Amino acid sequence: IQMTQSPSTLSASVGDRVTITCRASQSISDWLAWYQQKPGQAPKLLIYRASNLEAGIPSRFSASGSGTEFTLTIRSLQPDDFATYYCQRYNLYSWTFGQGTKVEIK
Amino acid sequence: EVQLVESGGDLVQPGGSLRLSCAASGFSVSNNYMTWVRQSPGKGLEWVSLIYGGGATYYADSVKGRFTISRDSSKNTFYLQMSRLRIEDTAMYFCARGRGNYFPYFATWGQGTLVTVSS
């Protein structure tokens, strides 16, 4: 199963609403996670099971989707949100990341 | 506090071997999903291997037959033994703890250890 994110790069301003899309090459139900990674840091879990917000993650992050199409939305982009975001499908025996979406300052 | 600390990264020649360690604190590695994920310089994330609490192990096709994941409950540490290393194995290697009622996603991450394969 391949995971494809779009766009690869996104230029936005503080306060903007930002949406990232992740598509699976075949249905993965809702077995999808989203991660945020900043330069020089480890990834951080944002969302699991497609739409569940991880504890401690700000509520401006939300996600939805099932089957083959998923979205991550940042309601009002904050300076701390400029980073690269990865989707990941998971099951019992394999885990696949999307190629990443870099959110940069416009 | 739940924490993961990787070690063991180094410069190694192609064909060589290396063992990475991931020391855990705040929980037991023996009854958790533990995994390795790598990131080549300037590239995205690639899952490498995972070990279940029950001991089942899984590997990415790119490392199958060359890498082995294991754990030592007495040291609360898990490992990635890497052999027949290739230049394309050069990456930052992160360890992580999985979580999930059915299938594991990666909830807690270490800061990574750098493996460079070069002659």
Side-chain angles (χ1 to χ4, degrees), chain A residues 15-80:
Chain A
D16 284 353
R17 180 186 178 93
V18 164
T19 298
I20 299 168
T21 297
C22 176
R23 289 186 174 87
S25 58
Q26 62 189 76
S27 178
I28 58 169
S29 184
D30 60 355
W31 303 112
L32 187 97
W34 289 96
Y35 300 85
Q36 176 195 67
Q37 188 182 32
K38 298 177 182 177
Q41 296 186 18
K44 177 196 291 187
L45 176 68
L46 300 176
I47 301 285
Y48 60 94
R49 200 83 186 257
S51 61
N52 292 273
L53 192 68
E54 174 69 350
I57 302 301
S59 60
R60 62 180 180 272
F61 290 90
S62 65
S64 63
S66 67
T68 61
E69 187 152 337
F70 302 85
T71 59
L72 173 71
T73 299
I74 309 173
R75 187 178 67 238
S76 176
L77 200 64
Q78 297 301 301
D80 191 48

Side-chain angles (χ1 to χ4, degrees), chain B residues 38-51:
Chain B
R38 68 184 181 184
Q39 186 169 37
S40 300
K43 302 297 184 183
L45 301 170
E46 179 189 16
W47 169 72
V48 173
S49 181
L50 182 139
I51 182 166

Side-chain angles (χ1 to χ4, degrees), chain A residues 31 33 35 37 40-43 45 48-49 54 86 88 90-95 97 99, chain B residues 37 39 43-47 50 52 58-59 94 99 102-107 109-111:
Chain A
W31 303 112
Y35 300 85
Q37 188 182 32
Q41 296 186 18
L45 176 68
Y48 60 94
R49 200 83 186 257
E54 174 69 350
Y86 294 91
Q88 178 207 40
Y90 55 95
N91 64 14
L92 182 64
Y93 53 82
S94 69
W95 294 261
F97 292 92
Q99 82 279 15
Chain B
V37 174
Q39 186 169 37
K43 302 297 184 183
L45 301 170
E46 179 189 16
W47 169 72
L50 182 139
Y52 277 94
Y58 295 93
Y59 299 91
F94 298 98
R99 198 182 75 207
Y102 297 97
F103 306 137
Y105 47 88
F106 306 154
W109 296 68
Q111 285 305 302

Side-chain angles (χ1 to χ4, degrees), chain A residues 95-106:
Chain A
W95 294 261
T96 308
F97 292 92
Q99 82 279 15
T101 295
K102 183 177 182 180
V103 177
E104 59 182 26
I105 300 173
K106 191 172 185 179

Side-chain angles (χ1 to χ4, degrees), chain B residues 52-65:
Chain B
Y52 277 94
T57 58
Y58 295 93
Y59 299 91
D61 288 343
S62 58
V63 306
K64 201 172 293 183

